[in-house]
Amino acid sequence: MSEGLRAQKKHETRKTISDVATKLFIRDGFEDVTIAEIAHEARVAKMTVTNHFPRKEDLVFDIRADFTSWPATLVRDSVFHDTRELYFEALGAEHALVGFSGPGFVRMIKESPVLTNALHEMHREREAALTHLLIRRHPEEGLPPVLAAAHLATVLRVLFQEVFDRTLADEKQIADAVWPAAELAFDQLEPVLGRY
């Protein structure tokens, strides 16, 4: 089997496992579903599940790497302006990186202390990625880049939570409802962070 086919098969297996696990978690609750049940339903070995997802919560947050590195890895010139642009692109596309999912998924996370803590950890990792980027770009400034990253990460976290809360309430047109608050939040940050 070629490297390309092997990588594609690995990706498909990972996606299948994650999809099966998410369905089981939403139906039965995160804490009540075992790795063995997931393996059985996905028709793979238990070891295959744990090889792809070392921690049980990784099955839910299979976008963790993208979530935590976004937007730090995609920023080109201006951390503030590029992040703003990336945020509104993701909001318009109703992307998971800014909180979009189904009500069952949000309920599952809110009902599980393990998943709630994992989501908080992901937000902290995103802030750390932004902090490292700003410190690399502005090493001479000391604390201000750290504060700038904290402010920007807080806005992203609060807006994420707003999408989550509206999803749980089963609202429609969530992106349209959140858009004005997001514009206001970024406008308030710009006088301080626009130079980054």
Side-chain angles (χ1 to χ4, degrees):
M1 183 183 298
S2 73
E3 283 300 315
L5 286 175
R6 191 173 289 115
Q8 181 182 349
K9 176 71 173 159
K10 185 176 180 180
H11 173 76
E12 289 170 0
T13 300
R14 181 180 169 82
K15 184 173 179 351
T16 298
I17 293 168
S18 178
D19 290 348
V20 165
T22 300
K23 287 177 189 167
L24 291 173
F25 292 150
I26 290 172
R27 188 187 73 196
D28 300 333
F30 177 77
E31 279 79 8
D32 294 331
V33 176
T34 67
I35 298 298
E37 290 173 301
I38 294 164
H40 175 75
E41 287 292 319
R43 297 187 175 144
V44 297
K46 187 176 171 184
M47 181 74 77
T48 303
V49 175
T50 56
N51 282 343
H52 283 278
F53 302 96
R55 299 181 308 172
K56 188 176 172 185
E57 57 267 34
D58 295 336
L59 287 155
V60 174
F61 297 117
D62 58 340
I63 65 163
R64 184 182 195 121
D66 292 334
F67 182 93
T68 57
S69 65
W70 181 90
T73 57
L74 301 177
V75 166
R76 298 173 304 277
D77 302 313
S78 162
V79 172
F80 175 77
H81 293 288
D82 288 350
T83 300
R84 180 182 187 135
E85 183 181 320
L86 290 168
Y87 178 81
F88 284 106
E89 284 176 11
L91 183 64
E94 299 187 357
H95 201 286
L97 291 174
V98 294
F100 285 93
S101 59
F105 187 85
V106 175
R107 192 173 302 107
M108 170 189 66
I109 291 171
K110 288 195 174 263
E111 290 174 354
S112 168
V114 172
L115 294 178
T116 299
N117 287 336
L119 182 58
H120 290 315
E121 185 179 304
M122 289 165 57
H123 282 292
R124 286 191 297 273
E125 290 172 8
R126 179 184 276 179
E127 181 178 337
L130 282 167
T131 300
H132 293 309
L133 173 64
L134 284 172
I135 288 173
R136 276 196 319 274
R137 289 189 175 187
H138 305 276
E140 71 289 348
E141 294 189 22
L143 188 58
V146 176
L147 294 173
H151 288 306
L152 193 50
T154 297
V155 164
L156 293 173
R157 179 182 49 77
V158 168
L159 293 173
F160 183 98
Q161 189 61 50
E162 182 68 13
V163 171
F164 247 42
D165 291 344
R166 289 176 180 273
T167 300
L168 189 60
D170 206 19
E171 290 185 23
K172 308 301 178 213
Q173 308 300 322
I174 293 172
D176 292 340
V178 171
W179 201 282
E183 285 184 329
L184 177 62
F186 280 101
D187 286 348
Q188 289 175 342
L189 283 179
E190 187 165 15
V192 179
L193 305 185
R195 67 192 183 89
Y196 286 106

